[in-house]
Amino acid sequence: MGHQMFDYNAELANEVFDYCRDRLSMDPVPLDFGSLHPIAPSSMEGFIRPEGHDPDQIFAFFKETLAPAVVSIDSPGFLAFIPNAPTKSSLLFDMVVACSGLNGTSWLESSGVVMAENQALEYLAGLAGMPAGSGGAFVSGGSLGNLSSLTVGRDVGRSKRSHLAPHEVRFAISGDAHSSIAKALHVLGVEPLVVASSDHRFTREGLEAALANDSHPDTVVGVVATAGTTNAGIVDDLEGLGSYARDHDLWFHVDGAYGGAALFSPSERHLFEGLRHADSFIVDPHKWLFAPLDCCALVYRNPTIARKVLAQQASYLDILHAGDDANYEWNPSDFAIHLSRRARGLPFWYSLVTNGTAAYESAVQAAVDLAKRAVEMIESMDHVEMVRDSSLSIVLFRRKGWSDERYTEWSHQLLRDQVAFVTPTKWEGETVARLAFLHPNTTEDLVRRILDSMRD
Ligand SMILES: *Cc1c(COP(=O)(O)O)cnc(C)c1O
């Protein structure tokens, strides 16, 4: 007598696959409501108990009650934060990964996964101009990618400056770096040298001035640049910062979680030339490279150094680390602060291989082009005005005369009306409106509707 819960339930499988098929064929998916769709806590009382529930009933509860309480991040109307627009093939392949319980921890267990993931990483490293032999792993997100990279950078920096106490090393960052950078440094016990930027762009001149005015410039062991700030899409002076880091033997980390995808954009890729200097680089395929959550590509220029810092050692893991460096077999688990991992790079790999890189170029470019069209529309209207020019696919603008509260009410109303999900942000202390374009099916008509909804 087996355990029933491991039995295949053909009816439930049909229902779930039907739901997935429906969802995949929706064009577009409904925006849905997030927290505007209230769920009474009592509706879930008694769910977890010794005897199970009817799977149909609970699946129906998910469909009717839980799912509408999630704003669809893959809706063309999702223009808040950074959206996510997975291709159909990446979503389908994510089901393959899920239904196979596909493990991607080590070469010994998962060489088939590692081969495919590494092909995708190698392609991205090549686009970034990093040398052959660069590599790393797919991790859960940019936050973990940044933390892992900066851990390696810190240790490398310490080893080169043995006269400093371990806690004395610092990283130069910009005030516009993503919040995960400050959080990573906090975890690492490393202080930032926060460099004043020039119109929110971190430049070599800014870095040199900050170091010249600092009483302990020798404690700075690395530089963190952002390739596409989350709030405004600004790409830092990668060439200037990268060449400075190279000349002064500093670790150069580039956070391209959102903007790194613009390596695929014919009109924007020139901004990324300095990426070739990077010691570590991240880009989130779960943002602008059309893969499902959660997926960040983390690449090191020298993967051997990275794994010496990050690989976990334990007697039961020795079998994974048996070979010497020359015969190293690739364990994705060695390159970040993680061990067990699902094969989260495979949906991206499958989509990239089957759709082809040209399709990625045109889909990324579509968002850049739509941002430029949105700027033209805003400039042609009297009730709104640009805060600054668009960068990559992000547009910051203001509704003349609106208070903070008015922006918030308007944002909720747009969602309630199922038009779009647009949230305000702060720019130099002022509340302003922000559109983050990403889905290639977002239309000019929708942008016009959003702008028109701000008239009164
Ligand atoms: C989104 C983002 C991050 C964090 O990535 P997660 O995948 O959300 O952890 C880091 N840096 C930048 C620039 C980002 O846009």
Side-chain angles (χ1 to χ4, degrees):
M1 181 45 204
H3 291 267
Q4 228 184 341
M5 68 176 177
F6 296 91
D7 290 351
Y8 178 63
N9 176 340
E11 254 170 70
L12 180 61
N14 282 339
E15 255 198 67
V16 169
F17 289 133
D18 282 350
Y19 175 80
C20 294
R21 207 175 277 114
D22 271 3
R23 185 88 204 173
L24 283 166
S25 61
M26 287 173 178
D27 184 22
V29 298
L31 194 52
D32 286 331
F33 298 92
S35 64
L36 295 181
H37 176 87
I39 302 173
S42 61
S43 64
M44 298 174 71
E45 246 166 49
F47 269 23
I48 300 181
R49 61 178 192 194
E51 61 284 1
H53 287 270
D54 174 13
D56 284 350
Q57 188 196 335
I58 303 300
F59 193 46
F61 178 80
F62 165 76
K63 288 189 274 194
E64 286 152 26
T65 307
L66 298 181
V70 181
V71 181
S72 302
I73 194 170
D74 56 343
S75 157
F78 192 116
L79 304 173
F81 314 116
I82 301 289
N84 162 249
T87 62
K88 301 298 176 189
S89 55
S90 72
L91 289 170
L92 281 165
F93 212 80
D94 206 44
M95 276 184 81
V96 174
V97 171
C99 293
S100 325
L102 218 54
N103 172 15
T105 303
S106 70
W107 180 263
L108 176 68
E109 301 159 280
S110 319
S111 57
V113 164
V114 180
M115 290 289 293
E117 287 191 329
N118 282 3
Q119 184 176 44
L121 286 174
E122 216 173 281
Y123 183 74
L124 293 174
L127 274 188
M130 292 168 79
S134 302
F138 286 97
V139 300
S140 62
S143 302
L144 188 66
N146 285 333
L147 176 61
S148 302
S149 303
L150 297 184
T151 306
V152 178
R154 178 200 62 180
D155 281 18
V156 168
R158 275 179 178 170
S159 70
K160 288 178 179 163
R161 289 164 185 76
S162 48
H163 64 287
L164 297 175
H167 64 274
E168 279 181 315
V169 301
R170 292 185 298 166
F171 277 96
I173 72 171
S174 136
D176 290 82
H178 188 263
S179 47
S180 60
I181 297 291
K183 188 59 69 180
L185 297 184
H186 176 73
V187 171
L188 294 172
V190 166
E191 292 291 325
L193 168 65
V194 181
V195 178
S197 51
S198 140
D199 191 24
H200 301 268
R201 187 165 178 263
F202 186 10
T203 63
R204 176 172 180 144
E205 291 70 36
L207 175 64
E208 285 178 328
L211 291 169
N213 287 325
D214 191 75
S215 43
H216 296 289
D218 60 314
T219 61
V220 173
V221 299
V223 178
V224 180
T226 310
T229 58
T230 318
N231 208 19
I234 297 165
V235 181
D236 287 340
D237 171 20
L238 302 180
E239 184 58 46
L241 295 170
S243 56
Y244 184 92
R246 202 133 294 290
D247 293 346
H248 295 82
D249 202 17
L250 306 176
W251 187 268
F252 184 46
H253 174 64
V254 180
D255 175 0
Y258 148 67
L263 285 165
F264 283 88
S265 157
S267 70
E268 308 302 303
R269 63 169 60 115
H270 67 96
L271 299 170
F272 297 81
E273 274 172 22
L275 240 180
R276 69 184 194 286
H277 299 297
D279 292 295
S280 49
F281 165 58
I282 63 154
V283 56
D284 277 353
H286 75 210
K287 285 179 173 168
W288 201 5
L289 289 178
F290 316 115
L293 297 170
D294 48 7
C295 183
C296 165
L298 160 61
V299 183
Y300 301 96
R301 178 182 218 87
N302 183 339
T304 306
I305 290 181
R307 77 182 159 79
K308 300 258 154 146
V309 173
L310 293 173
Q312 297 188 30
Q313 306 295 341
S315 50
Y316 77 97
L317 297 174
D318 281 351
I319 188 167
L320 304 182
H321 299 127
D324 53 18
D325 281 356
N327 301 309
Y328 177 70
E329 291 168 335
W330 207 271
N331 302 313
S333 57
D334 288 347
F335 296 95
I337 299 161
H338 61 185
L339 185 58
S340 306
R341 60 183 291 279
R342 84 196 283 268
R344 61 164 63 82
L346 251 58
F348 171 61
W349 167 81
Y350 181 74
S351 181
L352 188 64
V353 170
T354 55
N355 289 300
T357 57
Y360 276 73
E361 286 191 3
S362 86
V364 170
Q365 189 62 40
V368 175
D369 293 345
L370 185 57
K372 296 202 159 60
R373 275 297 296 136
V375 173
E376 288 168 13
M377 282 187 231
I378 290 164
E379 285 177 339
S380 75
M381 295 175 172
D382 288 333
H383 65 298
V384 285
E385 65 186 2
M386 293 300 295
V387 169
R388 54 171 293 120
D389 200 7
S390 68
S391 295
L392 302 184
S393 65
I394 298 191
V395 176
L396 294 178
F397 66 104
R398 70 171 64 79
R399 165 61 165 89
K400 296 177 194 165
W402 269 12
S403 62
D404 295 11
E405 295 74 30
R406 196 63 194 84
Y407 279 104
T408 307
E409 278 168 33
W410 162 76
S411 168
H412 289 332
Q413 194 57 46
L414 269 185
L415 184 60
R416 234 177 260 119
D417 295 343
Q418 293 288 282
V419 175
F421 186 46
V422 182
T423 48
T425 186
K426 280 262 190 325
W427 187 255
E428 297 178 351
E430 176 194 357
T431 299
V432 300
R434 173 177 174 278
L435 300 171
F437 294 108
L438 193 150
H439 202 303
N441 294 344
T442 307
T443 61
E444 276 184 45
D445 273 356
L446 179 64
V447 178
R448 190 172 298 281
R449 237 185 118 187
I450 292 168
L451 296 173
D452 283 342
S453 73
M454 303 176 97
R455 285 189 189 275
D456 37 53

